[in-house]
């Protein structure tokens, strides 16, 4: 669940370096063997294209972190299920998350609590849910919960 850019930057930079050196070696060896000096230029162009490709991948990955990326949809569903297991929760109405740093996620949730709960019960539930989520998902550093009393819309009568 981490968004630490150093992991993929090291992988792509080192991979590109090895592939680039391999391209240069093959082109220079072929150029010498075939007595064709143009293959030196071909090697330069191929390495340049390789570096452009790697830089585009790295820019895309870094951009998503800089622009504010949320957690994966599968993880969101698991978190919703975890929150809805609490006996005071009727449903998770809104769920927003964002990475604030590679190892820091902020979670904002609007939860429908049972109607019969008082303020103390809701505050205790919020604390309990916050602790549970942070314990289960270590990258979640901040959990902001807004309570919303559940109102059954199906019983509304219009006159």
């Amino acid at each position: 669940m981490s968004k630490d850019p150093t992991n993929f930057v090291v992988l792509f930079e080192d991979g590109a370096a090895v592939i680039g050196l391999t391209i240069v070696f093959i082109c220079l060896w072929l150029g010498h063997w075939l007595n064709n000096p143009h293959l030196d230029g071909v090697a330069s162009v191929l390495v340049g294209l390789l570096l452009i490709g790697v830089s585009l991948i790295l820019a895309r990955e870094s951009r998503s972190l800089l622009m504010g990326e949320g957690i994966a949809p599968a993880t969101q569903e698991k978190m919703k299920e975890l929150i809805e297991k609490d006996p005071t929760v009727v449903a998770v109405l809104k769920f927003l998350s964002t990475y604030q740093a590679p190892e820091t996620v902020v979670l904002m949730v609007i939860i429908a609590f049972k109607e019969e709960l008082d303020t103390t019960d809701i505050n205790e539930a919020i604390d309990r849910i916050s602790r549970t989520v942070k314990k289960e998902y270590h990258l979640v550093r901040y959990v902001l919960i807004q309570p919303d009393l559940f109102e059954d819309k199906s019983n509304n009568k219009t006159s």
Side-chain angles (χ1 to χ4, degrees):
M1 190 163 105
S2 174
K3 283 291 181 185
D4 190 357
T6 57
N7 294 334
F8 57 85
V9 167
V10 170
L11 174 70
F12 281 105
E13 282 183 345
D14 290 351
V18 170
I19 293 170
L21 287 172
T22 304
I23 290 171
V24 169
F25 175 78
I26 290 171
C27 286
L28 288 179
W29 182 79
L30 282 174
H32 183 72
W33 188 60
L34 298 172
N35 198 21
N36 185 352
H38 299 293
L39 289 176
D40 184 25
V42 170
S44 297
V45 170
L46 291 176
V47 169
L49 291 173
L50 173 69
L51 293 176
I52 289 171
V54 169
S55 67
L56 290 174
I57 292 170
L58 293 177
R60 185 187 60 133
E61 289 296 322
S62 297
R63 182 186 144 269
S64 66
L65 180 59
L66 291 172
M67 297 301 290
E69 180 176 316
I71 58 176
T75 306
Q76 284 184 16
E77 287 303 315
K78 289 178 185 174
M79 283 186 183
K80 285 180 187 178
E81 290 172 9
L82 179 67
I83 292 169
E84 289 176 343
K85 284 182 184 176
D86 190 281
T88 60
V89 174
V90 175
V92 174
L93 301 177
K94 298 279 184 188
F95 189 94
L96 302 167
S97 64
T98 184
Y99 277 89
Q100 295 297 302
E103 301 290 330
T104 304
V105 173
V106 175
L107 180 64
M108 297 151 280
V109 188
I110 299 176
I111 299 175
F113 288 98
K114 291 184 177 177
E115 210 170 319
E116 64 270 9
L117 298 176
D118 63 14
T119 304
T120 304
D121 294 333
I122 291 174
N123 285 334
E124 289 171 358
I126 288 172
D127 290 339
R128 183 175 54 249
I129 292 167
S130 180
R131 283 191 310 271
T132 303
V133 169
K134 287 179 184 179
K135 182 180 176 187
E136 187 73 24
Y137 299 93
H138 300 290
L139 294 182
V140 177
R141 301 281 193 255
Y142 305 100
V143 180
L144 308 170
I145 298 175
Q146 178 180 334
D148 188 59
L149 293 179
F150 180 72
E151 297 175 14
D152 190 1
K153 308 291 187 209
S154 63
N155 289 337
N156 290 345
K157 295 180 181 177
T158 56
S159 358

